[in-house]
Amino acid sequence: MSLFDHKISELKTLIHKKEIRISDLVDESYQRIQKVDGKVQAFLQLDEEKARAYAKELDEAVGSRDEHGLLFGLPIGIKDNIVTKDLRTTCASKILQNFDPIYDATVVQRLHEAEAVTIGKLNMDEFAMGSSTENSGFQKTKNPWNLETVPGGSSGGSAAAVAAGEVPFSLGSDTGGSIRQPASFCGVVGLKPTYGRVSRYGLVAFASSLDQIGPITTSVEDNAYLLQAISGVDEMDSTSANVEVPDYLSALTGDIKGLKIAVPKEYLGEGVGQAAKDSVLASLKVLEGLGATWEEVSLPHSKYALATYYLLASSEASANLARFDGIRYGYRTDHADSLIDIYKQTRSEGFGDEVKRRIMLGTFALSSGYYDAYYKKAQKVRTLIKKDFEDVFENYDVIIGPTTPTPAFKLGEKTSDPLTMYANDILTIPVNLAGVPGISVPCGFADGLPLGLQIIGKHFDESTVYRVAHAYEQATDHHKQKPEL
């Protein structure tokens, strides 16, 4: 049995009773990485020397002081678009292949305060643009359940590392489903918090009005621990919300009697596979058995979410990625004769195809003559999508549906058809456009591959999302199944 089969609360007890050392946990992580990461390819950088030294320091602190951090001594992997001081941060892009940040992101500082141990940086789609982690500039991460399938994206490395038992938990980022979709594909728990719940300071921006950092774990309880550690207002991020952070662990009561669930007919309609529909209906029966009730509702503007998202996200990306120009940091071309040439050649050589595609789409949508027809109209539709959610939440506690239309697809299956790839996020994107929290929890299997149940809550009501997810998890055993690597 791996030490990482224990929950955070159990590991903390074992550490404080001195039945295991923090160095044992760090050893376990690096040994597992050495054993399986050649197949999975989840990690881009390891921070082994510092991690082992810090583990030793924390081992000496056990018993010598009364107070310990919330994640005391526990190993964590961090997505490679979250900056880490003196630990290379590339966003899986050649344009940042030599970038060593001089500061930590706020979430990384909070992990330090919680006394977690950083194991390394995790692979992703370049600049978080993708649904399969096939757009990384360095390597393709594989799904631990079947190495011929994708782990999802863009936080594919973060989900695969947890599923493969390389770390007990990780951080990802979610712009249009990039935590929940890979969590679903890899059979783990992934939460996108409410926009503003977690600071974005030090997260390399893709689409600033949509991006949100969140936890990927093997259980709902562990997920609540991790969100507790990283949440809260931050003076370095003007979009972080000054809203009180509740005690998420106290929400895990298992009691959902009288809870009202909305099931949007659009989430079980055209394009959603039969296995995903069946697993959601089976999950609703479980929740009914626990005392909840459900009704079908409509989110009528969901059908416009995909087009709205790709216009807005690409427009924001084209503005955010303008800073990568070969002048201040990152890669610079050797083949330029003028300043304009430096910009053109650096970006041509440094960015991958998907990033170029989205910059061009976004620049077009923001250009004179097209701004009103595309960008402005997309912002208006976004407001309608948000209003759909608000209307449903007047009468219901949570919204439930599948996380993805199908289980993980084969590597290379959708790379030649970007539109089919984009459609993979159809069920997760509306949540980002509305800014509400959503979690994916394992809810079954199809062809030996995991399926995820998506539970969506009201703004800043992660507690109810966790309560429902935890009650469901306790009543089922999907989360206990592990891939055989």
Side-chain angles (χ1 to χ4, degrees):
M1 180 179 175
S2 165
L3 287 173
F4 299 157
D5 290 337
H6 293 285
K7 289 193 291 212
I8 288 176
S9 53
E10 295 164 348
L11 287 173
K12 286 172 75 162
T13 303
L14 291 170
I15 288 167
H16 293 307
K17 286 183 173 174
K18 296 194 174 182
E19 289 179 27
I20 59 168
R21 296 175 313 141
I22 291 158
S23 297
D24 298 335
L25 291 173
V26 172
D27 280 346
E28 176 119 2
S29 193
Y30 285 119
Q31 283 165 14
R32 182 70 177 165
I33 290 167
Q34 194 173 8
K35 186 178 176 188
V36 303
D37 205 59
K39 299 177 196 169
V40 178
Q41 295 193 289
F43 277 91
L44 287 175
Q45 277 89 31
L46 297 175
D47 200 17
E48 192 163 352
E49 195 178 324
K50 275 207 304 214
R52 290 188 184 282
Y54 188 41
K56 207 171 165 189
E57 188 187 314
L58 293 177
D59 277 331
E60 286 164 12
V62 177
S64 67
R65 54 183 160 99
D66 295 335
E67 298 241 335
H68 293 102
L70 188 64
L71 303 173
F72 182 70
L74 299 173
I76 186 166
I78 296 172
K79 187 175 177 179
D80 202 32
N81 60 346
I82 299 169
V83 301
T84 41
K85 188 180 179 188
D86 302 327
L87 178 59
R88 187 150 293 177
T89 300
T90 69
C91 295
S93 178
K94 294 198 164 111
I95 211 161
L96 282 177
Q97 63 191 7
N98 58 358
F99 177 53
D100 297 316
I102 55 171
Y103 71 100
D104 278 323
T106 296
V107 289
V108 175
Q109 271 181 338
R110 288 182 176 165
L111 290 173
H112 291 329
E113 286 160 17
E115 298 184 293
V117 181
T118 301
I119 294 298
K121 303 300 287 289
L122 291 154
N123 194 29
M124 55 185 279
D125 284 298
E126 184 181 3
F127 285 104
M129 298 181 192
S131 310
S132 65
T133 315
E134 292 172 287
N135 294 331
S136 168
F138 303 114
Q139 62 196 37
K140 287 180 170 58
T141 300
K142 320 289 191 304
N143 190 325
W145 288 91
N146 179 342
L147 296 170
E148 290 177 8
T149 61
V150 301
S154 63
S155 307
S158 299
V162 173
E166 297 176 293
V167 281
F169 44 76
S170 65
L171 287 186
S173 69
D174 192 312
T175 308
S178 288
I179 287 172
R180 289 158 291 148
Q181 186 248 24
S184 173
F185 279 6
C186 292
V188 290
V189 179
L191 174 94
K192 182 207 88 76
T194 306
Y195 184 81
R197 172 62 87 194
V198 176
S199 170
R200 291 186 301 110
Y201 179 70
L203 172 69
V204 179
F206 160 19
S208 308
S209 74
L210 298 159
D211 299 339
Q212 195 62 174
I213 297 169
I216 296 177
T217 57
T218 53
S219 72
V220 174
E221 184 185 301
D222 285 5
N223 209 280
Y225 261 105
L226 199 44
L227 186 65
Q228 196 77 50
I230 62 172
S231 289
V233 69
D234 175 24
E235 61 181 21
M236 303 300 281
D237 173 13
S238 60
T239 63
S240 78
N242 193 2
V243 176
E244 190 185 345
V245 179
D247 175 6
Y248 294 122
L249 291 162
S250 67
L252 309 182
T253 58
D255 179 16
I256 56 164
K257 285 188 183 68
L259 186 104
K260 294 173 78 180
I261 298 167
V263 180
K265 62 183 182 190
E266 292 81 4
Y267 284 20
L268 296 174
E270 192 187 344
V272 179
Q274 196 57 46
K277 289 179 193 174
D278 292 346
S279 70
V280 168
L281 294 171
S283 301
L284 289 167
K285 280 207 174 76
V286 171
L287 294 167
E288 273 185 316
L290 296 170
T293 58
W294 68 274
E295 288 173 4
E296 195 175 80
V297 298
S298 179
L299 294 170
H301 295 97
S302 291
K303 61 186 172 192
Y304 306 117
L306 211 58
T308 301
Y309 170 83
Y310 278 99
L311 278 167
L312 296 179
S314 299
S315 298
E316 292 186 29
S318 93
N320 278 325
L321 271 62
R323 71 192 71 172
F324 303 106
D325 53 13
I327 303 296
R328 286 156 293 184
Y329 46 75
Y331 171 78
R332 179 188 292 186
T333 185
D334 296 325
H335 314 111
D337 302 320
S338 66
L339 183 62
I340 297 298
D341 224 21
I342 287 179
Y343 295 156
K344 281 164 70 173
Q345 296 295 348
T346 295
R347 293 159 74 84
S348 294
E349 294 163 22
F351 287 140
D353 289 347
E354 184 60 33
V355 174
K356 290 175 188 170
R357 186 181 289 123
R358 297 201 199 191
I359 289 173
M360 288 170 73
L361 175 63
T363 306
F364 174 77
L366 293 173
S367 62
S368 174
Y370 297 100
Y371 179 90
D372 284 0
Y374 293 106
Y375 181 76
K376 198 171 172 186
K377 187 176 280 184
Q379 288 288 26
K380 289 177 176 176
V381 177
R382 179 183 189 167
T383 303
L384 294 173
I385 290 167
K386 183 169 176 278
K387 177 87 169 52
D388 284 350
F389 278 95
E390 287 165 358
D391 290 347
V392 168
F393 282 133
E394 280 180 14
N395 300 308
Y396 299 91
D397 299 299
V398 291
I399 294 169
I400 282 181
T403 308
T404 59
T406 62
F409 46 88
K410 287 260 168 68
L411 285 155
E413 189 181 309
K414 299 188 179 182
T415 43
S416 60
D417 185 356
L419 292 178
T420 309
M421 184 78 87
Y422 295 169
N424 212 64
D425 300 330
I426 198 159
L427 301 167
T428 51
I429 276 170
V431 176
N432 296 77
L433 291 169
V436 292
I439 198 169
S440 178
V441 290
C443 70
F445 291 84
D447 305 322
L449 292 165
L451 292 163
L453 180 73
Q454 184 172 213
I455 302 163
I456 302 162
K458 301 171 187 174
H459 284 101
F460 299 104
D461 192 15
E462 285 85 359
S463 293
T464 300
V465 171
Y466 276 142
R467 183 159 62 95
V468 179
H470 181 255
Y472 174 76
E473 183 185 75
Q474 296 309 298
T476 57
D477 62 359
H478 308 301
H479 65 289
K480 292 178 183 168
Q481 304 199 41
K482 305 277 186 245
E484 300 267 327
L485 260 171

